[in-house]
Amino acid sequence: MLFPDKTGKIISQLFASRRFIFWVGFVLVLLVTTAKVMDERYKVFLVYKFGTLDFWNNIDPYANWQHPLDQYIYGPVFSVFFSVFAFLPSWLGAVLWNAFNYSLFFLAVFALPAPQFDFKKKRFVFWFLFPIALTDLVYFQSNLLVASLFMLVYSMLERNQFMYGILLLSFSGFSKIYGLIQLATLLFYKRFTRNAVVAVLLLAGLFFVPLIKIPGSQLLSYYQSWFTAIGERHNPLDFEVIYRLLYLLGYKSAVDHVAYIQGISLLFICAGTLLNYKRYHEVTFRTQVLGILLGWVILFSTTAEKHTYVIAMAGLVLWYLSGPKPVFDKILLWLNFFLIILVPIDAIFPKALMRFLYYTLGLNLVLFLLTWIRMFSFTFGARVFSLKSK
C-alpha cells in the first residue's frame, strides 16, 4: 500500500502546481487541435481568416461575403487583431490560434483576484470550465476568447487597473458585441466619471482603428454592414436561447418579440442592481452581478450555440464561488456541469442522447433558465428559495 500512497501524494503535489496544470491542458489542446488540422477540419478558423483577408483586400466581408463558409460576424477591429494568424499558412495559424486562446484562458482563470479566489478556487474554475473550453477549441471558435476577456477585465477592475481593464473591455466589444455589456459594471467602482470618460475615449479610439485600411468615407457604412450581419444572421429558434424554449412551451411568436424580451430582462437587472446600491462596495455582490450578466448575454442572445455556453458557465462558476451558497445551488452547479458541459461532448455521450435532451425536450434551456433565475433572485435579495446557507 506504500507505493499507491506515494503515487497519490505525487499526483496531488503535481496538480497543486500551476505550471503542471497549464501543461496538462496545453498538451490536450495541442492533441485535439493537431487531429483536426490534419483532417483539415477547421472551417471556423477559415471564416476568421477569409474575413480578415477581405478586410485587407478592400472587400466588405459583411455585405459581400463570397466564401462557401458561415457568415463572418466579427468586428473590423477583430480583423486587424486576427491578422497575426490570418497571414500564416492555415494549418499553422489554426494551431497558434488555439494555443493563444488556451493560454489566455489559463491566464484569465489564475489571475482572478485574491483573496476571494484562492488557488483552490481558481483550480476548480479551470477544471470545471476545461471540458467546454476544449470543446470550443475543437471547433476553433472565439467564445473562449470572449469568456477570458470577461474574466480578465473583471480582475483588472478589482485591482483598480482601470485603464487596462477598459481597454480590454473595449476590444472585446468591438470584436464580439457581447463584451460591451460589462461596461455597466464600471458603476461599482470609485471614480466612475473618470472611468466613463476613459471608456468613451478608448471606444472612440478603437472605433477608428479600421482607418488603417478603410477610407474615412466608408467607415460608418462598414460598421453598419457589421451590425446588419449580426441582426440578420440566423433564426433564433435554431439556437440555444430562451426564444426557442418559449416556442417549445407554446409561445410561438417569441421570435417576433426578441427586442422586448431582451429589454425587459435587462431592465430587471438594472433595477435589481440600482436597488442594491449600498452593496456596490462588496466584492461578492460585484462578482455575482457579473455572473448574472454573463448568463444573460448567452441565454437572451439570438445566436448562442452549445459551446457558446462557456461564457455562461464562467459566469455561473464565478457566481457560485463568490460566497457561501446553499446545497440547492451546489446541485444546480453540477447539473449544469453534466447537462451543458459534458452531454454535448461526443466522446462521452452519444449524439442521439444530446439531441433528445436538447432539441426534443429543451432540457438544457429549462435548466439554465431556472439557474439564471436562481442567480438573479439570490443576488438581488428576493429569496424565493428559502434555503439556509451553510
Side-chain angles (χ1 to χ4, degrees):
M1 295 298 293
L2 183 62
F3 180 75
D5 288 343
K6 286 186 176 180
T7 303
K9 186 176 181 180
I10 292 172
I11 293 173
S12 177
Q13 289 174 342
L14 286 174
F15 278 93
S17 164
R18 293 186 185 186
R19 181 176 297 179
F20 181 77
I21 293 172
F22 172 83
W23 285 110
V24 168
F26 186 83
V27 169
L28 290 172
V29 168
L30 190 60
L31 287 174
V32 298
T33 300
T34 302
K36 287 284 187 175
V37 168
M38 290 180 66
D39 285 345
E40 298 186 352
R41 291 184 294 168
Y42 45 88
K43 289 184 178 180
V44 173
F45 174 81
L46 294 178
V47 170
Y48 304 151
K49 174 171 181 166
F50 292 147
T52 299
L53 294 179
D54 280 355
F55 169 83
W56 290 108
N57 290 323
N58 295 315
I59 299 171
D60 184 341
Y62 315 111
N64 191 26
W65 186 247
Q66 300 294 324
H67 309 284
L69 299 163
D70 197 10
Q71 179 71 39
Y72 182 72
I73 58 168
Y74 302 87
V77 172
F78 180 83
S79 298
V80 175
F81 158 75
F82 200 80
S83 301
V84 175
F85 306 98
F87 286 100
L88 296 172
S90 295
W91 67 269
L92 179 59
V95 171
L96 293 179
W97 169 243
N98 272 4
F100 167 78
N101 278 302
Y102 168 77
S103 300
L104 189 68
F105 166 63
F106 182 87
L107 173 64
V109 170
F110 284 94
L112 289 169
Q116 185 183 22
F117 292 94
D118 58 20
F119 176 77
K120 288 184 177 180
K121 286 185 176 180
K122 293 175 183 179
R123 183 174 59 185
F124 180 83
V125 171
F126 177 84
W127 289 119
F128 182 88
L129 294 176
F130 184 76
I132 194 170
L134 187 61
T135 303
D136 194 64
L137 293 175
V138 163
Y139 294 99
F140 299 89
Q141 289 277 4
S142 63
N143 300 300
L144 187 61
L145 170 67
V146 176
S148 301
L149 289 175
F150 268 118
M151 289 189 282
L152 279 173
V153 169
Y154 160 73
S155 298
M156 289 177 177
L157 295 182
E158 288 296 320
R159 295 188 175 94
N160 297 319
Q161 298 172 330
F162 296 111
M163 181 71 73
Y164 297 115
I166 295 170
L167 179 60
L168 281 182
L169 192 160
S170 303
F171 168 74
S172 177
F174 272 110
S175 299
K176 204 166 185 177
I177 207 75
Y178 293 156
L180 291 181
I181 193 70
Q182 201 170 6
L183 277 172
T185 63
L186 293 179
L187 187 66
F188 299 146
Y189 301 95
K190 296 178 180 179
R191 305 181 72 176
F192 170 75
T193 301
R194 186 205 65 172
N195 291 333
V197 171
V198 170
V200 170
L201 293 176
L202 288 176
L203 285 168
L206 284 178
F207 179 84
F208 291 108
V209 163
L211 289 178
I212 61 176
K213 184 61 179 177
I214 299 172
S217 60
Q218 298 178 16
L219 185 64
L220 289 178
S221 61
Y222 203 89
Y223 274 107
Q224 183 60 50
S225 295
W226 177 36
F227 296 144
T228 300
I230 293 173
E232 297 181 351
R233 185 190 177 200
H234 291 298
N235 183 351
L237 298 181
D238 297 331
F239 291 85
E240 306 308 311
V241 292
I242 192 172
Y243 319 106
R244 187 167 72 82
L245 176 60
L246 294 174
Y247 183 88
L248 291 173
L249 293 174
Y251 185 26
K252 303 300 184 182
S253 60
V255 71
D256 299 323
H257 301 100
V258 169
Y260 293 108
I261 295 170
Q262 289 177 334
I264 292 171
S265 58
L266 198 55
L267 282 175
F268 273 104
I269 297 176
C270 293
T273 302
L274 294 173
L275 289 173
N276 283 272
Y277 67 93
K278 291 182 179 180
R279 299 177 59 196
Y280 288 1
H281 67 283
E282 300 175 10
V283 64
T284 296
F285 179 74
R286 296 194 296 268
T287 308
Q288 290 177 351
V289 173
L290 176 66
I292 291 169
L293 288 174
L294 294 187
W296 183 87
V297 298
I298 301 305
L299 186 62
F300 290 87
S301 73
T302 55
T303 57
E305 298 172 296
K306 294 185 294 294
H307 38 270
T308 314
Y309 270 75
V310 65
I311 300 170
M313 291 298 99
L316 172 59
V317 72
L318 293 181
W319 177 89
Y320 177 79
L321 294 175
S322 64
K325 299 293 188 304
V327 174
F328 178 80
D329 295 317
K330 186 174 184 178
I331 294 171
L332 277 180
L333 179 76
W334 288 111
L335 283 174
N336 276 274
F337 179 78
F338 173 76
L339 186 59
I340 294 180
I341 293 181
L342 294 186
V343 167
I345 301 177
D346 298 343
I348 301 177
F349 294 97
K351 282 187 177 181
L353 176 62
M354 183 275 293
R355 289 170 179 162
F356 176 73
L357 295 177
Y358 276 50
Y359 305 134
T360 303
L361 301 181
L363 201 57
N364 59 318
L365 294 173
V366 172
L367 174 62
F368 191 70
L369 176 59
L370 291 176
T371 301
W372 188 81
I373 292 172
R374 168 59 177 168
M375 293 165 66
F376 182 98
S377 64
F378 185 94
T379 300
F380 295 129
R383 301 290 196 265
V384 294
F385 299 95
S386 56
L387 299 170
K388 187 177 181 180
S389 297
K390 291 182 178 180

